[in-house]
Amino acid sequence: MRSNVLKKAPTWGLILLFFICFQLAAAERPGSAAIATAHPLATAAGHHLLRAGGNAFDAAVGVSAVLAVVEPYSSGIGGGGFWLLHRASDGFETMLDGRERAPLAADRDLYLDQAGKVIPNLSIDGALAAGIPGEPAALAHLARYYGRLSLADSLGPAIRLAREGFKVDSHYRRMAGWRLAVLRAHPASAEQFLQQGEVPVEGTLIKQPDLAETLERIALHGADGFYKGETAQRLVDGVRAAGGIWSLDDLASYRVVERQPIVGRYRGLKITSAAPPSSGGIALVTMLNILQGFDLQSQDEPLRTHLLVEAMRRAYRDRADYLGDPDYVDIPVDALTHPWYAAGMAHDIQLHRASPSVGNIPPAPEGQDTTHFSILDKEGNRVAATLSINYPFGSGFVVPGTGVLLNDEMDDFSASPGVPNVYGLVGGEANAIAGGKRMLSSMTPTFVEDDRRVAILGTPGGSRIITMVLLGILEMADGKGPDSWVERPRFHHQYLPDMIQFEPDAFSDSLKQQLTAMGHNLKPLDRQYGNMHGILWDKREGKVEAASDPRGLGLAQVVKTSSQNRE
Ligand code: GLY
């Protein structure tokens, strides 16, 4: 009897050990997949690729490419972006920098007249406004080094949609209406995006056969299908014929860069976000470091809002002074993201008094460009990606014979120190134009996590991106889910112009009065802004949630991978 028990003990022990290991492994896998994007067709394409055996990185290739087709006003293969990646098998994290860069022939005076004054719109409309695109190279890199499917498989849904068409919706109409003049000015753009020179009616099918062929060349030849050969020649010929300065060398020498993300901490959460040439991660961590010096939860709303605004003000001041392309300028990243540096700035904040910003510039129109998506697969691989062609419909210039709508990301450089760009952002030497240099961005794809929760989030919205992500993270830190992050009313300060911009109904009358009494200038906005897409995986509860911003037309979908049931 006794010997029997002894003989069986190791067996029971092994079973118990196996059970514990299984539970631990299960806790490290979501078991569900979630995708939140700005367009239902992109979300559907991502889930289709996951079902086909792809991982989050394959889905990210497919989602990026579909967004390039169905949201031509936001991002595209004529633009660029940042893909923040987390690989579940070994915890490896990186940021793919597929940011556009200035043509090699560009110099700091590119947009100045002979008197040294910025020529209006030259960095916004037309071929001269376009940087060398990074998205095609980034998608090829993502598929090759991180995906499981072929690039051709992942580009399949986008190629189909470019060829068969997608339906115009209300947002397309609004964006095309805004950029009607520049789209009309370029025949290939008018043919691709307008109907007899007018904004197409809702439900019109937008077919892009030239774009489908360009995507097919990328599917067949990888990045070379865009940066070399037939596509490259057409791009360079088209740009130069329209007054641009691209060369074949610009395209052939474009490279994706993998960069170490910016990491910070806030109330026990680890924040992982975009590295330069985005200002997003550094500004975000600076703001959170400053706020860590205050007990925000115990403050009333006026004081809490005041403290947030003062943190925003200081982070955007540093943005203008220090940030640019890290391959061209030395950025004191460690100092800027160090809690002690922030403690100095926090010390300088007066509790009931606004600190003035130095300088004066007029308010700029709000950013409605750019797109963001978040992906979590059943293994726990994650992607947060923010992609852009800058202004709605970018430069408005489609290169004839390619279907490629070019960005106007050159406007993200500071054309002249102290002169604001289209978002009212000023910059200095660090972000001056130089041949081959990447322009400073505000895109802020971000992961936030502790032992229990993992969040994936980001949003479009020009200069306001970073403060939107900050507000979303503060919701998460207060224990709220993705619905709250994406829905909450928004406000923003960017040092200059010295004003708090806020969404309609974001501030009560009494809050407005108290902020004004503290010396803040208030700028109520006519419209809501942003289009955030977030995912939360609660490891302890074994639950995955996702949400898309109610301000947009996007779709967040969680799919239980065991049953394929949608939640
Ligand atoms: N073009 C918007 C950004 O990169 O911030």
Coordinates of all heavy atoms in Angstrom, one line a residue, residues 82 99 319 369-370 388-391 409 412 423 440-443 462-463 465, ligand 1:
F82 N 4.9 54.8 -38.2 CA 5.7 54.1 -37.1 C 4.9 52.9 -36.7 O 3.7 53.0 -36.3 CB 6.0 55.0 -35.9 CG 6.7 56.2 -36.3 CD1 6.1 57.5 -36.2 CD2 8.0 56.1 -36.7 CE1 6.8 58.6 -36.5 CE2 8.8 57.3 -37.1 CZ 8.2 58.5 -37.0
R99 N 9.3 56.3 -41.6 CA 9.0 57.8 -41.7 C 9.6 58.2 -43.1 O 10.6 57.8 -43.5 CB 9.7 58.6 -40.6 CG 9.4 60.1 -40.6 CD 8.0 60.4 -40.3 NE 7.9 61.8 -39.9 CZ 6.7 62.4 -39.9 NH1 5.6 61.8 -40.3 NH2 6.6 63.7 -39.5
R319 N 9.8 69.9 -27.1 CA 9.7 69.4 -28.4 C 10.3 70.3 -29.5 O 11.1 69.9 -30.3 CB 8.2 69.2 -28.7 CG 7.9 68.5 -30.1 CD 6.4 68.7 -30.4 NE 6.1 67.8 -31.6 CZ 6.3 68.1 -32.8 NH1 6.8 69.3 -33.1 NH2 5.9 67.3 -33.8
D369 N -5.9 64.4 -40.3 CA -5.2 63.5 -41.1 C -4.8 62.2 -40.3 O -5.1 62.1 -39.2 CB -3.9 64.1 -41.6 CG -3.1 64.5 -40.3 OD1 -3.4 65.5 -39.7 OD2 -2.1 63.8 -40.0
T370 N -4.0 61.4 -41.0 CA -3.3 60.3 -40.3 C -4.3 59.2 -39.8 O -5.5 59.4 -39.7 CB -2.5 60.9 -39.1 OG1 -1.7 61.9 -39.6 CG2 -1.6 59.9 -38.4
S388 N 0.7 57.9 -41.8 CA 0.3 59.2 -42.2 C 0.7 59.6 -43.6 O 1.7 59.0 -44.1 CB 0.9 60.3 -41.3 OG 0.4 61.6 -41.6
I389 N -0.1 60.4 -44.3 CA 0.4 61.2 -45.4 C 0.4 62.7 -45.2 O 0.4 63.5 -46.0 CB -0.3 60.8 -46.7 CG1 -1.8 61.0 -46.6 CG2 0.0 59.4 -47.2 CD1 -2.6 60.9 -47.9
N390 N 0.2 63.0 -43.9 CA 0.1 64.3 -43.3 C -1.2 64.9 -43.6 O -2.2 64.4 -43.1 CB 1.2 65.2 -43.8 CG 1.4 66.4 -42.9 OD1 1.1 66.3 -41.7 ND2 1.9 67.6 -43.4
Y391 N -1.4 66.0 -44.3 CA -2.7 66.7 -44.5 C -3.7 65.7 -45.1 O -3.3 64.8 -45.8 CB -2.4 67.9 -45.3 CG -3.2 69.1 -44.8 CD1 -3.3 69.4 -43.5 CD2 -3.7 70.0 -45.8 CE1 -4.0 70.5 -43.1 CE2 -4.4 71.1 -45.3 CZ -4.5 71.4 -44.0 OH -5.2 72.5 -43.6
E409 N 4.4 65.4 -46.1 CA 5.1 65.4 -44.8 C 6.2 66.4 -44.7 O 6.6 66.7 -43.5 CB 5.6 64.0 -44.6 CG 5.4 63.4 -43.2 CD 4.0 63.0 -42.9 OE1 3.5 62.0 -43.6 OE2 3.4 63.5 -42.0
D412 N 6.1 68.9 -42.0 CA 6.4 68.6 -40.6 C 7.9 69.1 -40.2 O 8.2 69.1 -39.0 CB 6.3 67.1 -40.3 CG 4.8 66.8 -39.9 OD1 4.1 67.7 -39.7 OD2 4.5 65.6 -39.9
Y423 N 0.0 72.8 -38.4 CA -0.6 72.5 -37.1 C -0.3 73.6 -36.0 O -0.5 73.3 -34.8 CB -0.3 71.1 -36.6 CG -0.6 70.1 -37.6 CD1 0.3 69.3 -38.1 CD2 -1.9 69.9 -38.0 CE1 0.0 68.3 -39.1 CE2 -2.3 69.0 -38.9 CZ -1.3 68.2 -39.5 OH -1.6 67.3 -40.4
L440 N 10.3 65.7 -38.1 CA 9.8 65.4 -36.8 C 8.3 65.1 -36.8 O 7.6 65.8 -37.6 CB 10.0 66.6 -35.8 CG 9.7 66.4 -34.4 CD1 10.6 65.3 -33.8 CD2 10.0 67.7 -33.6
S441 N 7.9 64.1 -36.1 CA 6.5 63.7 -36.1 C 5.9 63.8 -34.7 O 6.6 63.9 -33.7 CB 6.4 62.2 -36.6 OG 5.1 61.7 -36.4
S442 N 4.5 63.8 -34.6 CA 3.9 63.7 -33.3 C 3.2 62.3 -33.1 O 2.5 62.1 -32.1 CB 2.8 64.7 -33.2 OG 3.3 66.0 -33.3
M443 N 3.4 61.4 -34.1 CA 2.7 60.1 -34.0 C 3.1 59.3 -32.8 O 4.3 59.2 -32.5 CB 2.8 59.4 -35.3 CG 2.2 60.1 -36.5 SD 2.1 59.1 -38.0 CE 3.7 59.3 -38.6
G462 N -2.7 65.2 -35.8 CA -1.7 66.2 -35.9 C -1.0 66.5 -34.6 O -0.7 65.5 -33.8
S463 N -0.8 67.7 -34.2 CA -0.1 68.1 -33.0 C -0.8 67.6 -31.7 O -0.2 67.6 -30.7 CB 0.1 69.6 -33.0 OG -1.1 70.3 -33.0
I465 N -2.0 64.7 -31.2 CA -2.0 63.3 -30.9 C -1.4 63.0 -29.5 O -2.0 62.1 -28.8 CB -1.0 62.6 -32.0 CG1 -1.7 62.6 -33.4 CG2 -0.7 61.2 -31.6 CD1 -0.8 62.1 -34.5
Ligands
GLY1 N1 2.1 64.3 -40.1 C1 1.7 64.2 -38.7 C2 2.8 63.7 -37.8 O1 3.7 63.0 -38.2 O2 2.8 64.1 -36.7

